[in-house]
Amino acid sequence: MAKVPSVRNVPSAVVAASGLVGGYGVARWTRKRQLGGVALAVATAAQQWRQQAGGKAAGALTVAYVAAFAGSHPLAKKVGAWPAVFGVAGAVALASWAVADRHA
């Protein structure tokens, strides 16, 4: 019998980056910023970060996640919306991998 992949096996870097990209995509395509915020919040990897790297690291990565979301707005004025979102998502994914996933 084939093993069914579990969501728990998804690296936290992928979850975090997907939350940022997905949150923006939902907000843009539905024209409802609140729905984008829900997607952003649901896809946070905070629980995985806490399990893999501890509470302090999870707190720092959560701050980075929120800062990336906030920072994407002024960055978008300079480089465009999608490049800004992909840029900050990549930065958060890299931080997540370095702090939590690399050791898992």
Side-chain angles (χ1 to χ4, degrees), residues 65-97:
Y65 185 77
V66 173
F69 167 70
S72 69
H73 292 83
L75 183 60
K77 293 179 181 177
K78 296 186 182 286
V79 299
W82 279 112
V85 170
F86 286 129
V88 300
V92 168
L94 181 60
S96 181
W97 175 82

Side-chain angles (χ1 to χ4, degrees), residues 1 13 18 30 38 42 75 88 101:
M1 180 177 276
S18 298
T30 64
V38 169
V42 166
L75 183 60
V88 300
D101 295 336

Side-chain angles (χ1 to χ4, degrees), residues 11-86:
S12 65
V14 173
V15 173
S18 298
L20 289 162
V21 173
Y24 175 70
V26 167
R28 182 172 178 130
W29 288 312
T30 64
R31 298 189 176 161
K32 304 241 186 262
R33 294 181 78 181
Q34 298 85 353
L35 289 178
V38 169
L40 181 80
V42 166
T44 185
Q47 184 175 0
Q48 280 179 280
W49 292 330
R50 188 172 38 257
Q51 290 172 346
Q52 293 172 347
K56 288 182 182 180
L61 287 168
T62 300
V63 167
Y65 185 77
V66 173
F69 167 70
S72 69
H73 292 83
L75 183 60
K77 293 179 181 177
K78 296 186 182 286
V79 299
W82 279 112
V85 170
F86 286 129

